[in-house]
Amino acid sequence: MGSGHELAATALDTLPITVAIIDDEGEIQFTNQSWSEFESAERDDEHIGSNYLAAAVTADDEYAQQAVDGIEAVLAGDRDSFSMEYPCHSPDEKRWFLMRVTRFPHDGQRLASLVHLEITERKLAELAAEANAEQVQKERQALEHVLERVDGLVRTVTDAAVGAETRTEIEHDVCRRLAATDPYVLAWIGRVDVTNRRLSPREWASDDDVPLEDDNLVLDADGAHPAVQALERDDAQVIADVTAHDAADRLWPRGAGDYFQSVAALPLTYGDVTYGVLVVFADEPDAFDERELLVLDSLSGTVATAMNALEVRRMLTTEAVIAVDVAIEDPSLFVTALSATFDATVSYRGLTEADDGTPLVVLHVDRTLEDDAVDETGIAHDVTILSTTDDGTLLEVATTDGLVTALSEHGAVIRKLIVTDGVADLAVDLPDGRSARSAYDLLERRYDRVELLSYYERDEPAQTPHDVTARLESSLTDRQLMALRKAYYANYFEWPRDISGEELAESMDISRSTFHQHLRAAQRKVLAELFD
């Protein structure tokens, strides 16, 4: 039996748990090695023979009292066992233990085993799970609140945008409804003045007395403002905390944080056309999280779509066009390169297409050129001489990515394009403001220096190539239309003629008689459209 007790004691010493045996008075009779090491680390006095219950009672701790009550109930025979979990934190770390008390008889004595098992890892996992569950619940509640608020916001802003009759009405109603929605306190929509490169708030609304920002924003100078960044980067921009932003004092007057603490700016874009920028202010920091920006981005798209619909409707019912005159200085512009190569003035005559659909630009050079002069230009375009007269040379340039074709894709009608001394003077008519803005942005992106000379609305529109083609495409074949355009652009109908029918036929790689057949058929159909 003695050897059995020694074997049991040795085995208990190997277990990663603390074990003690107490008698019915609470006095410690035996401990394993883990208990001894733990107790020695906690206090210096000898634990064998000490009273466990007396030591526990002195601890001013609710867990200690709970443990004493449980142990006494087991020793008194009121229950066979007792267990509890309790914290036992040190200054360096948090720890939790599971205590289990079990009564057993030995040699006529009533004894109890006390086992303490560390459960820190399990407890930390449980606490983390509880925290996650609480966080998930909070996020669910916040999401439900956001969805409820957003649903109403989307409905009311969409109704305002779709139901408006004018662009100003859209801007006014959208700002008013945004400013009336918590946590927003101010909203404004700005438009770009192409002439002086300023972004100007056109319509705004605020909650209570939140002031509108002062003055207009100069696009090149106010790059720190989120509205300017949103416009130039074509993406939403956010200042999460105005009071901590480096440029806040420059962008807004001191005390602005008393009115708003975060700002979001979103471009109003439909396709490749930007109508302006929507700026929203909130009275709390970090108001524009990812979900909020998704909603606002969707709303800005709805507003831009509504503005586009109004522009299209206006285009169908008005006779006005936007006239834009610019000066372009960039040696990479192919007409400028031609002018520099030939040391001559180059002017635009018109645009047609080859059989394969390649755009063909007809240009006039105010000097006589030989074939070898064109061959030696080194310009990355297919340049052909159509005719040569005392007044100059008529060229045909095949290009798919030039200025003329790009403007044509934006609905522009070129009134004038003349290049002299490295400067291209360009005058175009565009169907509406959005097309004008889009075309001007295209020029600024492509070329080194673009100077806006004038920008105004004309009541008498120029007839667009699309208008002519649409009326005649049902009767003119591609070859007939090409022959007619080439003859017109090359001054074939002038007297004396700048070009012969044979030269035009050669440019189309057909015989002279075939060219005249196409031309006469086209003339007959045009006259029938005019007189019938």
Side-chain angles (χ1 to χ4, degrees), residues 22 25-28 35 39 43 45 47 50-72 75 82 84 86 99 101 114 116:
I22 60 174
E25 297 296 328
E27 187 174 301
I28 297 176
W35 182 289
E39 286 294 315
R43 55 188 186 182
D45 56 322
H47 48 273
S50 63
N51 192 291
Y52 184 84
L53 292 178
V57 169
T58 60
D60 185 13
D61 189 321
E62 61 175 309
Y63 294 103
Q65 185 59 52
Q66 183 181 348
V68 169
D69 294 340
I71 294 171
E72 288 180 341
L75 293 175
F82 167 76
M84 65 173 287
Y86 64 95
M99 182 184 74
V101 185
L114 300 178
H116 295 262

Side-chain angles (χ1 to χ4, degrees), residues 398-419:
T399 176
T400 57
D401 61 350
L403 169 65
V404 174
T405 52
L407 288 174
S408 178
E409 291 173 356
H410 282 73
V413 175
I414 298 178
R415 288 186 281 109
K416 179 183 72 172
L417 174 56
I418 299 177
V419 183

Side-chain angles (χ1 to χ4, degrees), residues 40-115:
S40 297
E42 293 294 317
R43 55 188 186 182
D44 297 333
D45 56 322
E46 180 64 35
H47 48 273
I48 297 293
S50 63
N51 192 291
Y52 184 84
L53 292 178
V57 169
T58 60
D60 185 13
D61 189 321
E62 61 175 309
Y63 294 103
Q65 185 59 52
Q66 183 181 348
V68 169
D69 294 340
I71 294 171
E72 288 180 341
V74 170
L75 293 175
D78 296 335
R79 53 192 306 174
D80 294 333
S81 63
F82 167 76
S83 63
M84 65 173 287
E85 295 178 3
Y86 64 95
C88 184
H89 305 321
S90 70
D92 300 326
E93 61 178 337
K94 292 183 177 297
R95 299 177 300 182
W96 284 266
F97 291 86
L98 169 66
M99 182 184 74
R100 184 172 181 83
V101 185
T102 304
R103 186 181 69 251
F104 68 93
H106 178 71
D107 290 341
Q109 287 184 295
R110 189 162 50 190
L111 304 176
S113 61
L114 300 178
V115 177

Side-chain angles (χ1 to χ4, degrees), residues 100-155:
R100 184 172 181 83
V101 185
T102 304
R103 186 181 69 251
F104 68 93
H106 178 71
D107 290 341
Q109 287 184 295
R110 189 162 50 190
L111 304 176
S113 61
L114 300 178
V115 177
H116 295 262
L117 174 65
E118 186 171 359
I119 58 170
T120 299
E121 288 188 9
R122 192 204 78 192
K123 197 66 177 179
L124 289 175
E126 289 178 354
L127 291 175
E130 291 175 3
N132 288 338
E134 184 178 352
Q135 181 64 26
V136 168
Q137 179 64 21
K138 288 181 179 179
E139 290 184 358
R140 182 183 293 112
Q141 292 174 349
L143 181 59
E144 290 174 353
H145 173 71
V146 168
L147 290 176
E148 182 179 352
R149 181 180 66 81
V150 163
D151 182 56
L153 177 62
V154 170
R155 249 194 338 266

Side-chain angles (χ1 to χ4, degrees), residues 272-291:
D272 62 349
V273 180
T274 299
Y275 289 96
V277 60
L278 169 65
V279 187
V280 185
F281 298 76
D283 62 358
E284 58 187 43
D286 301 312
F288 302 101
D289 57 15
E290 184 176 353
R291 290 177 303 202

